[in-house]
Amino acid sequence: MNLSETKRELILDAALVLFVDRGFDGTTVPMISEKAGVGAGTIYRYFENKEALVNTLFQECVGELIETINDGYPRTSDDLREQFGHIANQVIRYAKKNLNALLFLDSHTNGHYLDEASREAYMRLRTFLCEFIERGQKNKVIRPLPADALIALMDGAFIALNKCIKAGEIEETPELLAGVKEACWDAIRIH
Amino acid sequence: MNLSETKRELILDAALVLFVDRGFDGTTVPMISEKAGVGAGTIYRYFENKEALVNTLFQECVGELIETINDGYPRTSDDLREQFGHIANQVIRYAKKNLNALLFLDSHTNGHYLDEASREAYMRLRTFLCEFIERGQKNKVIRPLPADALIALMDGAFIALNKCIKAGEIEETPELLAGVKEACWDAIRIH
Amino acid sequence: MNLSETKRELILDAALVLFVDRGFDGTTVPMISEKAGVGAGTIYRYFENKEALVNTLFQECVGELIETINDGYPRTSDDLREQFGHIANQVIRYAKKNLNALLFLDSHTNGHYLDEASREAYMRLRTFLCEFIERGQKNKVIRPLPADALIALMDGAFIALNKCIKAGEIEETPELLAGVKEACWDAIRIH
Amino acid sequence: MNLSETKRELILDAALVLFVDRGFDGTTVPMISEKAGVGAGTIYRYFENKEALVNTLFQECVGELIETINDGYPRTSDDLREQFGHIANQVIRYAKKNLNALLFLDSHTNGHYLDEASREAYMRLRTFLCEFIERGQKNKVIRPLPADALIALMDGAFIALNKCIKAGEIEETPELLAGVKEACWDAIRIH
DNA sequence: TATGAATGAGCTTTCATTCAT
DNA sequence: GATGAATGAAAGCTCATTCAT
């Protein structure tokens, strides 16, 4: 890893935290440069402008999340419960590694500054999850509700859980994670 | 109907839509004044500044939601299922009347521009829901998970559902609403 | 005196006080209307705009001061000491009646908002005083210094004296006034 | 010479001239930036806001005037005439170097925008002059009039004299300066 | 006649972006 | 490559002025 790769990372990391805390429009370039410990002008050596920065960040976060979920995904299995478990485990793993990335994705999916590539990247993630939902619905395992609603339901639970963990309000234990996973599964499956 | 009351409403309505679409920092005062069909200066006759506007909006939305939920709430009942049903029905009713208000609340609860009064108003809503959750947990009816996570789970489902309805992707039917309600209940209750 | 004459006076009186305290540019029309106890729009029934108001005020103040000084002025006398005494007495009388008017004149003579008529009115006052000075210089009674400097010298003394009296720092007594008059006279005369 | 020091000076110099000509409230930031030959935003790199600019300017001008007067002041002398002569000479020297600074101080001492530090700085100057006056009054050399009035008297003379010189109406000669000094002295001393 | 709600031009200020160093 | 001083477009906001009542 060379030095400027490091600088690029510093900028992305600083931006991520600030975007989560204050949103894209509430974050100024000087804020990012200060938190990153680089000059304001340096940001423009790595990103064309502020919008390019947020889009790069978004696409990298989505890409990494998709990769994480895909990693070891039991594609051939027809046990939806098992597939669900894998997805949940990997999302938890992703959050553990970079919680802010998950929060960033959650809160920036509708940003007016997202470009086509970002929207497409996000679509790939969404499509993946929708396909899972629809397969389950075809198999009469998952409720016949809008996929968006079911995804949001799971999403909301994981995000909130992780916020609690981040805020130190609750302790992360295997039982807790298992409980949330079960709650989500109970929410979307047919009883 | 008082005319200036109307103008105040025009501003609040325009701001609500824009805040939902673009966030507080991404919305400019000229945008609001144009959408409201009033002069930019007029906004400052009704609100001290942009922050006061967003806080007024937030507090009014929270207040109305709390009022809606409280309206006819079966307080004395010890049937948690019935109480849950009431809350869900009233949130759905609120969303039907003013979906943007619900989306606005959902996306602005952590804004760096919210003042003490707004945070307190939101706390009242949250406390109400937490008490419901905790009562259920004491009675071994609701899962022993962090209340925040369970609330977010329900929240996420309703918000996403309503977004789908708004976008015209799905049709709002009694069956659909019943399904989401059941999904939420299944997510939080002990099986 | 009819009612609207009264309103016009209320506006001029309020403006006078505010212009003295905060200057022309530091005084807003709403400030004037509030202090005058009239609606903001009413001001525009009596004065074309804010500049017309300050110019009217200026011209009326200058006019009244000139009138006061001229009243009983020993024009034919060749006793400069007596003429000086008369001028000083009348300025004191004017200040006693309307101190703010004197302070207003003193602090607004170079305003960028003064129109031709105001400048001319002020010129008449200045010319009058200059002629007095020059007559005294011709008679070798008054020092051969620039008239402006001598006038400013007297001016400064009277203004400051009156500010002290206004602020309640000192008491206005015949001895005090006599003292200031004498000091001024000693400043400008040849010893 | 430090370049940014230069830019700061450019801004202060431009502001000084405009404040003298049009007052604080009559001077806009774009006016200052244009006269200074810098961008409007640049002003805010050196001064927190317009008020901070005028206060910095005020305090620097007062400080320099106090320093000038103190420079070589015959503190131990009990010859009041000599001390007066020194003060007068130094004020003349100060005015010669930067007439606008003197005019600025004269016209901005009561500004509603002055902060505590500015008022204190001005108080130091005023206290110094008052002490001189009071010493003279104790020694029965200076008239028993309010110090403010006597100071204003001298002030007015010097300011007006310098305005005349600036306007080119009169020529600055040793005789002229000596005359004004003598006039002032005659005004405040007991005969 | 008197009003004050409404306006928009223009103010103060911020901040994404550039560029000389 | 890296910087941060400098910029000016555009933000938030004020206020002289108008006009329907």
Side-chain angles (χ1 to χ4, degrees):
Chain A
M1 188 199 299
N2 64 30
L3 207 77
S4 55
E5 191 60 30
T6 293
K7 268 208 164 119
R8 189 176 175 281
E9 299 307 320
L10 285 173
I11 293 165
L12 286 170
D13 290 350
L16 181 66
V17 174
L18 287 163
F19 289 159
V20 169
D21 274 13
R22 311 182 44 92
F24 173 74
D25 291 301
T27 301
T28 69
V29 173
M31 281 178 192
I32 298 170
S33 77
E34 198 202 359
K35 191 171 201 85
V38 304
T42 305
I43 289 174
Y44 290 85
R45 299 202 66 76
Y46 294 96
F47 306 97
E48 203 187 325
N49 53 36
K50 198 184 161 195
E51 292 214 349
L53 168 55
V54 78
N55 278 287
T56 301
L57 195 55
F58 190 86
Q59 288 158 41
E60 289 195 3
C61 287
V62 172
E64 218 178 325
L65 179 53
I66 290 176
E67 225 174 273
T68 304
I69 292 175
N70 271 330
D71 185 18
Y73 184 69
R75 204 168 298 277
T76 55
S77 162
D78 58 354
D79 181 352
L80 284 154
R81 181 67 168 98
E82 189 195 339
Q83 290 182 332
F84 173 83
H86 176 84
I87 294 171
N89 284 337
Q90 294 304 84
V91 171
I92 289 166
R93 171 174 304 182
Y94 181 79
K96 227 179 258 177
K97 217 182 83 192
N98 195 351
L99 174 54
N100 279 320
L102 197 66
L103 299 179
F104 169 67
L105 287 179
D106 185 57
S107 56
H108 286 69
T109 48
N110 287 304
H112 58 90
Y113 36 78
L114 289 190
D115 61 18
E116 207 46 49
S118 293
R119 273 186 238 282
E120 269 171 31
Y122 184 65
M123 261 308 153
R124 278 203 300 282
L125 173 61
R126 175 140 293 245
T127 302
F128 177 88
L129 294 173
C130 283
E131 279 169 5
F132 165 75
I133 296 283
E134 281 157 12
R135 217 172 325 121
Q137 289 175 331
K138 217 169 55 192
N139 294 359
K140 307 279 186 214
V141 178
I142 290 179
R143 293 174 196 272
L145 294 173
D148 278 347
L150 296 175
I151 292 171
L153 197 149
M154 298 187 291
D155 217 52
F158 275 109
I159 296 287
L161 178 76
N162 280 296
K163 278 184 188 170
C164 292
I165 294 169
K166 183 191 183 188
E169 293 168 15
I170 56 174
E171 207 189 344
E172 185 184 349
T173 62
E175 290 77 30
L176 180 68
L177 297 177
V180 171
K181 264 166 42 181
E182 199 192 326
C184 287
W185 179 244
D186 282 337
I188 67 174
R189 72 175 240 260
I190 289 173
H191 290 251
Chain B
M1 190 201 295
N2 185 320
L3 207 78
S4 60
E5 192 58 31
T6 292
K7 214 138 228 171
R8 189 175 174 280
E9 300 307 322
L10 285 173
I11 294 165
L12 285 170
D13 290 351
L16 182 65
V17 174
L18 286 162
F19 288 159
V20 169
D21 274 14
R22 309 180 47 91
F24 173 74
D25 290 303
T27 301
T28 69
V29 172
M31 282 176 190
I32 298 170
S33 76
E34 199 201 359
K35 191 172 202 81
V38 304
T42 304
I43 289 174
Y44 292 88
R45 288 197 64 72
Y46 293 96
F47 306 96
E48 204 185 322
N49 51 38
K50 199 184 158 195
E51 291 212 352
L53 168 56
V54 79
N55 279 288
T56 299
L57 197 53
F58 190 87
Q59 288 159 39
E60 289 193 3
C61 288
V62 172
E64 218 178 325
L65 179 53
I66 290 176
E67 226 173 276
T68 304
I69 292 177
N70 271 331
D71 184 19
Y73 183 71
R75 203 168 297 279
T76 55
S77 162
D78 58 354
D79 181 354
L80 285 153
R81 182 66 168 97
E82 188 194 340
Q83 291 182 334
F84 173 82
H86 175 83
I87 294 173
N89 284 337
Q90 294 302 84
V91 171
I92 289 165
R93 170 172 305 184
Y94 181 80
K96 225 179 264 180
K97 217 181 84 189
N98 194 350
L99 174 55
N100 278 321
L102 198 65
L103 300 179
F104 169 68
L105 286 179
D106 186 56
S107 55
H108 285 69
T109 49
N110 287 305
H112 57 88
Y113 35 78
L114 290 190
D115 61 19
E116 206 45 49
S118 293
R119 272 187 238 282
E120 269 172 32
Y122 184 64
M123 262 307 151
R124 278 202 301 281
L125 173 61
R126 175 138 292 246
T127 301
F128 177 88
L129 294 174
C130 282
E131 279 168 5
F132 166 76
I133 296 284
E134 281 157 13
R135 218 172 327 122
Q137 290 176 330
K138 217 169 57 192
N139 295 358
K140 308 278 185 214
V141 178
I142 292 178
R143 293 175 196 272
L145 293 173
D148 278 348
L150 295 175
I151 292 170
L153 195 147
M154 300 188 289
D155 219 52
F158 275 108
I159 296 285
L161 177 75
N162 280 296
K163 279 185 187 169
C164 293
I165 294 170
K166 182 191 182 187
E169 294 169 14
I170 57 174
E171 205 190 344
E172 185 185 349
T173 62
E175 290 76 29
L176 179 67
L177 298 178
V180 171
K181 263 163 47 180
E182 201 192 324
C184 286
W185 180 245
D186 281 337
I188 68 173
R189 72 174 239 260
I190 291 173
H191 289 251
Chain C
M1 190 200 295
N2 63 31
L3 208 78
S4 55
E5 189 61 29
T6 292
K7 258 191 175 134
R8 189 175 176 281
E9 298 307 320
L10 285 173
I11 294 165
L12 286 170
D13 289 351
L16 181 66
V17 174
L18 286 163
F19 289 160
V20 169
D21 273 14
R22 310 181 46 93
F24 174 73
D25 290 301
T27 301
T28 68
V29 172
M31 281 178 192
I32 298 170
S33 77
E34 199 202 359
K35 192 171 200 86
V38 304
T42 305
I43 290 174
Y44 290 84
R45 298 201 67 76
Y46 294 96
F47 306 96
E48 203 186 326
N49 52 36
K50 197 184 163 195
E51 292 213 351
L53 167 55
V54 77
N55 279 287
T56 300
L57 195 54
F58 191 86
Q59 287 158 40
E60 289 194 3
C61 287
V62 172
E64 216 178 326
L65 179 54
I66 291 177
E67 224 174 276
T68 304
I69 293 176
N70 271 331
D71 184 20
Y73 183 70
R75 204 167 297 277
T76 54
S77 162
D78 59 353
D79 181 352
L80 285 153
R81 181 65 169 98
E82 189 195 337
Q83 290 183 333
F84 172 83
H86 175 82
I87 294 172
N89 283 337
Q90 294 303 82
V91 170
I92 289 165
R93 171 173 305 183
Y94 181 80
K96 227 179 260 179
K97 216 180 85 191
N98 194 351
L99 174 54
N100 278 320
L102 196 67
L103 298 179
F104 169 68
L105 286 179
D106 185 56
S107 56
H108 286 70
T109 49
N110 287 303
H112 58 89
Y113 35 79
L114 290 191
D115 61 18
E116 206 47 49
S118 292
R119 272 186 238 282
E120 268 171 33
Y122 184 65
M123 261 309 152
R124 277 203 300 283
L125 173 61
R126 176 141 291 247
T127 302
F128 176 88
L129 295 173
C130 282
E131 278 168 6
F132 166 76
I133 296 284
E134 281 157 13
R135 218 172 326 122
Q137 291 175 329
K138 215 168 59 191
N139 293 359
K140 307 282 186 208
V141 178
I142 291 178
R143 292 173 197 274
L145 293 172
D148 278 347
L150 296 175
I151 292 170
L153 196 149
M154 298 187 290
D155 218 52
F158 275 108
I159 296 286
L161 176 76
N162 280 295
K163 279 185 188 169
C164 294
I165 294 169
K166 183 190 182 187
E169 293 168 14
I170 55 173
E171 206 190 344
E172 186 185 348
T173 61
E175 291 76 31
L176 180 68
L177 298 178
V180 171
K181 263 164 45 180
E182 199 192 324
C184 286
W185 180 244
D186 282 337
I188 66 173
R189 72 175 239 260
I190 290 173
H191 289 250
Chain D
M1 191 199 297
N2 185 321
L3 207 77
S4 60
E5 191 59 30
T6 293
K7 215 139 226 172
R8 188 175 175 281
E9 299 306 322
L10 285 173
I11 294 165
L12 286 170
D13 289 351
L16 181 65
V17 174
L18 286 162
F19 288 159
V20 169
D21 274 13
R22 310 181 47 92
F24 174 74
D25 291 302
T27 301
T28 69
V29 172
M31 281 177 192
I32 298 170
S33 76
E34 198 201 359
K35 190 171 202 87
V38 303
T42 304
I43 289 174
Y44 291 86
R45 288 197 63 74
Y46 294 96
F47 305 96
E48 203 185 324
N49 52 36
K50 200 185 158 195
E51 290 213 353
L53 167 55
V54 78
N55 278 288
T56 300
L57 196 53
F58 191 86
Q59 287 159 40
E60 289 194 2
C61 287
V62 172
E64 217 177 326
L65 179 54
I66 291 176
E67 225 174 274
T68 305
I69 292 176
N70 271 330
D71 184 19
Y73 183 72
R75 205 168 295 279
T76 54
S77 162
D78 58 353
D79 181 353
L80 285 154
R81 181 68 170 96
E82 188 194 338
Q83 291 183 334
F84 173 84
H86 175 84
I87 293 171
N89 284 337
Q90 294 303 83
V91 171
I92 288 165
R93 170 173 304 183
Y94 181 79
K96 227 179 260 179
K97 217 181 85 191
N98 194 350
L99 174 54
N100 278 320
L102 197 65
L103 299 180
F104 169 68
L105 286 180
D106 186 56
S107 56
H108 286 68
T109 48
N110 287 305
H112 56 89
Y113 36 79
L114 289 190
D115 62 18
E116 205 47 49
S118 293
R119 272 186 239 283
E120 267 171 33
Y122 184 64
M123 261 308 151
R124 278 203 300 283
L125 174 60
R126 175 139 292 247
T127 302
F128 177 88
L129 294 174
C130 283
E131 279 168 4
F132 166 76
I133 296 284
E134 280 157 13
R135 218 173 324 122
Q137 290 176 330
K138 217 168 58 191
N139 295 357
K140 309 278 186 212
V141 179
I142 292 178
R143 292 174 197 272
L145 293 174
D148 278 347
L150 296 174
I151 292 170
L153 195 149
M154 300 187 289
D155 220 52
F158 274 109
I159 296 285
L161 176 75
N162 280 296
K163 280 184 187 170
C164 294
I165 293 169
K166 182 192 183 187
E169 294 168 14
I170 56 174
E171 205 189 345
E172 185 186 347
T173 61
E175 291 77 31
L176 179 66
L177 297 178
V180 171
K181 264 166 41 180
E182 199 193 324
C184 286
W185 180 243
D186 283 336
I188 66 173
R189 71 176 241 260
I190 290 173
H191 289 251

